[in-house]
Amino acid sequence: MTEFTDLNISSWIIDQLKLIGVKKPTPIQQNCIPAILSGKDCIGCAKTGSGKTLAFALPILQKLSEDPYGIFALVLTPTRELAFQIGDQFAAIGKTINLKKCTIVGGMDMVVQGQELARHPHIVVATPGRLADHLESCNTFSLARIKFLVLDEADRLLGGHFDEQLSVIFKALPKNRQSLLFSATITDALDKVKQVSTKEWFIWESTDDSGVATVKELDQRYVLCPKDVRDAFLVEVIRTFRADNENGSIMIFTDTCKNCQLLSMTLNEVGFDNVALHAMIKQKERLSALSKFKSNHTKILIATDVAARGLDIPIVALVINHNIPNIPKEYIHRVGRTARAGRGGMAVSLVTPYDINLLHAIEETIGTKLTEFKVEDKEIVNIFTQISVTKREAEIKLDETDFYEKKMINKRKKLILEGKDPDEVDEILEKKKKKRRKPEKKEIKSKKDSTSKETN
């Protein structure tokens, strides 16, 4: 079996790896590390939990130790939580060489971040939006001498959502650099690699004989349920799983920030202690929620797709898809939060009659069929009314809070930057508030009517 010494990794790095429990290189590390050390641009694609972060972090740290200066490497990633996780991994390995790193993401103090960048740290880990803001608003730091550019979750970064910000960033980078692209599903990015390099690429993609895009240790199930009864089915799936696995941690994915918050409030109210993670929570609270879940202090995390990519939480025993994602590769990222690094895990997706085509598209993409997860229908009938009423009460509470305030503040800032008059902006936002409230009240009324029909 290949050892880290066979990859020409320095002894000080190997010693640090042993301290964090890493003894053998994974396939993506075995193949990509030598190519990166030799100076090649690299594309690495492997299933979740395969050690992609160390595949680029180790050669970067080794090269940095030979010629230390700041800013030496820039790592871009689509989500804030993943940025912090990557920064922590760099810090853990680079402790011996007094590594200086900083994490630049939205939701944190820009002045403090600007001061950190001005100190020229060796490694900058950033989300594209916030880094682009710094590049456009201050000149206290430069990316003109970076040796490495890393795009982690490259397919998402190059998928079109970040084009404007990446354009700003790439203009600040030197042409003579190594570009490293890593993801679990990287095929979408292959036709866009010319945007980040003109060199010849070393491309490595993990393969196995099964043709399955998810790891073999993952038990993938579905529960067929009516759309309006989905929340009751969710509770029963949790209860059924808990009967056999009392302490296993659970991640629940849903589609919007509002649904995420409502589910969190509802489940907390009916006795399932949980934390929520979505884009409309303050960054410190997001990190706190993730910390509680990672430390196993809270055993249920309810999240939008901000938690679907890259996060390494080894203890997750079950992933539940409260909704079926429209894009099959997002399903792969979600369920990749469990069954990591050779461990077992289960994923259960709640499938309504409207989701059958999406389910078939997912099965075709991953190369395997999902099997049914059995729940007790009689229990669903017993808890349906309680769950529905509890969720309606949560909706009313949410409407009375400043939950949407952050979204409105960001929208106001964007419209003013586009040149609109502040008074005109306030009128636009007030109209949007009124539009939002009316449908919600109608929705609550219709739910009351449907519940009364159900109980009569």
Side-chain angles (χ1 to χ4, degrees), residues 182-210:
F182 286 85
S183 184
T185 51
I186 208 164
T187 51
D188 294 21
L190 288 174
D191 61 343
K192 297 190 178 184
V193 294
K194 289 181 181 177
Q195 293 182 14
V196 289
S197 179
T198 56
K199 296 181 186 176
E200 183 181 346
W201 289 84
F202 170 81
I203 301 175
W204 186 83
E205 186 171 358
S206 67
T207 56
D208 59 37
D209 297 331
S210 68

Short mmCIF file of all heavy atoms in Angstrom, two decimals, residues 182-210:
data_model
loop_
_atom_site.label_atom_id
_atom_site.label_comp_id
_atom_site.label_asym_id
_atom_site.label_seq_id
_atom_site.Cartn_x
_atom_site.Cartn_y
_atom_site.Cartn_z
N PHE A 182 -11.24 20.90 -7.52
CA PHE A 182 -11.67 19.67 -6.85
C PHE A 182 -13.18 19.68 -6.62
O PHE A 182 -13.75 20.73 -6.30
CB PHE A 182 -10.95 19.50 -5.51
CG PHE A 182 -9.52 19.08 -5.64
CD1 PHE A 182 -8.52 20.03 -5.84
CD2 PHE A 182 -9.16 17.75 -5.61
CE1 PHE A 182 -7.20 19.67 -5.98
CE2 PHE A 182 -7.83 17.36 -5.74
CZ PHE A 182 -6.85 18.32 -5.93
N SER A 183 -13.79 18.52 -6.78
CA SER A 183 -15.21 18.39 -6.49
C SER A 183 -15.62 16.93 -6.49
O SER A 183 -14.87 16.06 -6.95
CB SER A 183 -16.06 19.15 -7.52
OG SER A 183 -17.42 19.08 -7.16
N ALA A 184 -16.82 16.66 -5.97
CA ALA A 184 -17.37 15.30 -6.05
C ALA A 184 -18.04 15.09 -7.40
O ALA A 184 -18.13 13.96 -7.90
CB ALA A 184 -18.37 15.07 -4.93
N THR A 185 -18.52 16.16 -8.00
CA THR A 185 -19.16 16.08 -9.32
C THR A 185 -18.61 17.22 -10.16
O THR A 185 -19.12 18.32 -10.14
CB THR A 185 -20.69 16.23 -9.20
OG1 THR A 185 -20.97 17.40 -8.43
CG2 THR A 185 -21.32 15.03 -8.53
N ILE A 186 -17.58 16.93 -10.91
CA ILE A 186 -16.84 18.01 -11.57
C ILE A 186 -17.08 18.11 -13.07
O ILE A 186 -16.57 18.99 -13.73
CB ILE A 186 -15.33 17.84 -11.28
CG1 ILE A 186 -14.64 19.20 -11.32
CG2 ILE A 186 -14.69 16.85 -12.24
CD1 ILE A 186 -13.28 19.20 -10.71
N THR A 187 -17.87 17.23 -13.64
CA THR A 187 -18.03 17.19 -15.10
C THR A 187 -18.54 18.51 -15.68
O THR A 187 -18.16 18.89 -16.77
CB THR A 187 -19.00 16.06 -15.49
OG1 THR A 187 -20.19 16.19 -14.71
CG2 THR A 187 -18.39 14.70 -15.23
N ASP A 188 -19.41 19.21 -14.95
CA ASP A 188 -19.95 20.47 -15.45
C ASP A 188 -18.86 21.51 -15.67
O ASP A 188 -19.00 22.42 -16.47
CB ASP A 188 -20.95 21.05 -14.44
CG ASP A 188 -22.19 20.19 -14.31
OD1 ASP A 188 -22.10 19.00 -14.65
OD2 ASP A 188 -23.22 20.70 -13.87
N ALA A 189 -17.77 21.39 -14.91
CA ALA A 189 -16.73 22.41 -14.96
C ALA A 189 -15.68 22.16 -16.03
O ALA A 189 -14.90 23.05 -16.35
CB ALA A 189 -16.05 22.51 -13.60
N LEU A 190 -15.64 20.98 -16.58
CA LEU A 190 -14.55 20.63 -17.49
C LEU A 190 -14.46 21.54 -18.71
O LEU A 190 -13.38 21.86 -19.19
CB LEU A 190 -14.68 19.17 -17.94
CG LEU A 190 -14.36 18.13 -16.88
CD1 LEU A 190 -14.67 16.72 -17.39
CD2 LEU A 190 -12.90 18.21 -16.47
N ASP A 191 -15.63 21.98 -19.21
CA ASP A 191 -15.59 22.84 -20.40
C ASP A 191 -15.28 24.29 -20.05
O ASP A 191 -15.19 25.15 -20.92
CB ASP A 191 -16.92 22.76 -21.16
CG ASP A 191 -18.09 23.23 -20.32
OD1 ASP A 191 -17.92 23.30 -19.08
OD2 ASP A 191 -19.15 23.52 -20.88
N LYS A 192 -15.11 24.58 -18.76
CA LYS A 192 -14.82 25.96 -18.34
C LYS A 192 -13.42 26.13 -17.77
O LYS A 192 -13.07 27.21 -17.32
CB LYS A 192 -15.85 26.40 -17.30
CG LYS A 192 -17.27 26.43 -17.84
CD LYS A 192 -18.20 27.11 -16.86
CE LYS A 192 -19.60 27.18 -17.43
NZ LYS A 192 -20.53 27.92 -16.56
N VAL A 193 -12.62 25.09 -17.81
CA VAL A 193 -11.30 25.19 -17.18
C VAL A 193 -10.40 26.21 -17.87
O VAL A 193 -9.49 26.76 -17.25
CB VAL A 193 -10.58 23.81 -17.16
CG1 VAL A 193 -11.30 22.86 -16.26
CG2 VAL A 193 -10.42 23.24 -18.56
N LYS A 194 -10.66 26.51 -19.12
CA LYS A 194 -9.83 27.49 -19.83
C LYS A 194 -9.96 28.88 -19.21
O LYS A 194 -9.10 29.74 -19.43
CB LYS A 194 -10.23 27.54 -21.30
CG LYS A 194 -9.82 26.29 -22.06
CD LYS A 194 -10.20 26.37 -23.52
CE LYS A 194 -9.81 25.11 -24.26
NZ LYS A 194 -10.24 25.13 -25.68
N GLN A 195 -11.02 29.09 -18.43
CA GLN A 195 -11.18 30.39 -17.77
C GLN A 195 -10.12 30.61 -16.70
O GLN A 195 -9.81 31.73 -16.34
CB GLN A 195 -12.57 30.48 -17.12
CG GLN A 195 -13.70 30.51 -18.12
CD GLN A 195 -15.05 30.64 -17.42
OE1 GLN A 195 -15.11 30.95 -16.25
NE2 GLN A 195 -16.11 30.38 -18.16
N VAL A 196 -9.59 29.52 -16.15
CA VAL A 196 -8.66 29.66 -15.02
C VAL A 196 -7.24 29.24 -15.34
O VAL A 196 -6.37 29.37 -14.52
CB VAL A 196 -9.17 28.89 -13.79
CG1 VAL A 196 -10.38 29.56 -13.19
CG2 VAL A 196 -9.50 27.45 -14.12
N SER A 197 -6.99 28.69 -16.53
CA SER A 197 -5.61 28.34 -16.88
C SER A 197 -5.47 28.05 -18.37
O SER A 197 -6.40 27.61 -19.01
CB SER A 197 -5.17 27.10 -16.08
OG SER A 197 -3.86 26.74 -16.42
N THR A 198 -4.29 28.29 -18.87
CA THR A 198 -3.99 27.94 -20.26
C THR A 198 -3.04 26.75 -20.33
O THR A 198 -2.64 26.32 -21.40
CB THR A 198 -3.35 29.14 -20.98
OG1 THR A 198 -2.19 29.55 -20.25
CG2 THR A 198 -4.34 30.28 -21.10
N LYS A 199 -2.65 26.22 -19.16
CA LYS A 199 -1.71 25.10 -19.13
C LYS A 199 -2.40 23.78 -19.43
O LYS A 199 -3.63 23.68 -19.45
CB LYS A 199 -1.06 25.01 -17.74
CG LYS A 199 -0.22 26.20 -17.34
CD LYS A 199 0.36 25.94 -15.96
CE LYS A 199 1.12 27.13 -15.41
NZ LYS A 199 1.60 26.89 -14.05
N GLU A 200 -1.56 22.75 -19.58
CA GLU A 200 -2.10 21.39 -19.73
C GLU A 200 -2.50 20.88 -18.34
O GLU A 200 -1.80 21.07 -17.36
CB GLU A 200 -1.01 20.47 -20.32
CG GLU A 200 -1.51 19.08 -20.58
CD GLU A 200 -0.40 18.18 -21.14
OE1 GLU A 200 0.64 18.72 -21.57
OE2 GLU A 200 -0.58 16.96 -21.12
N TRP A 201 -3.67 20.22 -18.29
CA TRP A 201 -4.21 19.78 -17.01
C TRP A 201 -3.88 18.32 -16.71
O TRP A 201 -3.90 17.48 -17.61
CB TRP A 201 -5.74 19.92 -17.01
CG TRP A 201 -6.20 21.34 -16.96
CD1 TRP A 201 -6.33 22.19 -18.01
CD2 TRP A 201 -6.56 22.07 -15.79
NE1 TRP A 201 -6.77 23.41 -17.58
CE2 TRP A 201 -6.93 23.37 -16.22
CE3 TRP A 201 -6.63 21.76 -14.44
CZ2 TRP A 201 -7.35 24.36 -15.33
CZ3 TRP A 201 -7.05 22.74 -13.55
CH2 TRP A 201 -7.39 24.03 -14.01
N PHE A 202 -3.60 18.03 -15.44
CA PHE A 202 -3.60 16.65 -14.97
C PHE A 202 -5.01 16.39 -14.43
O PHE A 202 -5.48 17.10 -13.54
CB PHE A 202 -2.58 16.44 -13.85
CG PHE A 202 -2.70 15.10 -13.17
CD1 PHE A 202 -2.15 13.97 -13.74
CD2 PHE A 202 -3.41 14.97 -11.98
CE1 PHE A 202 -2.27 12.73 -13.13
CE2 PHE A 202 -3.54 13.75 -11.35
CZ PHE A 202 -2.97 12.61 -11.94
N ILE A 203 -5.71 15.42 -15.00
CA ILE A 203 -7.09 15.14 -14.61
C ILE A 203 -7.18 13.74 -14.02
O ILE A 203 -6.75 12.77 -14.64
CB ILE A 203 -8.05 15.26 -15.82
CG1 ILE A 203 -7.97 16.67 -16.42
CG2 ILE A 203 -9.49 14.94 -15.41
CD1 ILE A 203 -8.78 16.85 -17.69
N TRP A 204 -7.73 13.66 -12.81
CA TRP A 204 -7.93 12.36 -12.18
C TRP A 204 -9.35 12.27 -11.63
O TRP A 204 -9.82 13.15 -10.93
CB TRP A 204 -6.95 12.12 -11.03
CG TRP A 204 -7.06 10.72 -10.48
CD1 TRP A 204 -6.47 9.60 -10.97
CD2 TRP A 204 -7.84 10.30 -9.37
NE1 TRP A 204 -6.83 8.51 -10.23
CE2 TRP A 204 -7.67 8.90 -9.23
CE3 TRP A 204 -8.66 10.96 -8.45
CZ2 TRP A 204 -8.30 8.16 -8.23
CZ3 TRP A 204 -9.29 10.22 -7.46
CH2 TRP A 204 -9.10 8.84 -7.35
N GLU A 205 -10.03 11.20 -12.02
CA GLU A 205 -11.39 10.98 -11.57
C GLU A 205 -11.49 9.57 -11.00
O GLU A 205 -11.06 8.60 -11.63
CB GLU A 205 -12.38 11.15 -12.72
CG GLU A 205 -13.82 11.08 -12.29
CD GLU A 205 -14.78 11.48 -13.41
OE1 GLU A 205 -14.29 11.84 -14.51
OE2 GLU A 205 -16.00 11.43 -13.19
N SER A 206 -12.03 9.45 -9.80
CA SER A 206 -12.13 8.13 -9.17
C SER A 206 -13.11 7.26 -9.94
O SER A 206 -14.13 7.75 -10.44
CB SER A 206 -12.59 8.26 -7.71
OG SER A 206 -13.92 8.72 -7.65
N THR A 207 -12.80 6.00 -10.04
CA THR A 207 -13.68 5.05 -10.73
C THR A 207 -13.81 3.80 -9.88
O THR A 207 -12.92 3.44 -9.12
CB THR A 207 -13.11 4.64 -12.10
OG1 THR A 207 -11.79 4.11 -11.91
CG2 THR A 207 -13.05 5.81 -13.05
N ASP A 208 -14.97 3.18 -9.98
CA ASP A 208 -15.12 1.84 -9.40
C ASP A 208 -15.96 1.00 -10.34
O ASP A 208 -16.60 1.51 -11.26
CB ASP A 208 -15.71 1.88 -7.99
CG ASP A 208 -17.08 2.55 -7.94
OD1 ASP A 208 -17.85 2.36 -8.90
OD2 ASP A 208 -17.37 3.23 -6.95
N ASP A 209 -15.96 -0.29 -10.13
CA ASP A 209 -16.62 -1.20 -11.05
C ASP A 209 -18.14 -1.16 -10.93
O ASP A 209 -18.85 -1.64 -11.81
CB ASP A 209 -16.14 -2.65 -10.79
CG ASP A 209 -14.65 -2.79 -11.07
OD1 ASP A 209 -14.15 -2.03 -11.92
OD2 ASP A 209 -14.00 -3.63 -10.42
N SER A 210 -18.65 -0.59 -9.85
CA SER A 210 -20.10 -0.63 -9.62
C SER A 210 -20.86 0.35 -10.52
O SER A 210 -22.03 0.14 -10.82
CB SER A 210 -20.41 -0.29 -8.16
OG SER A 210 -20.10 1.06 -7.89
#
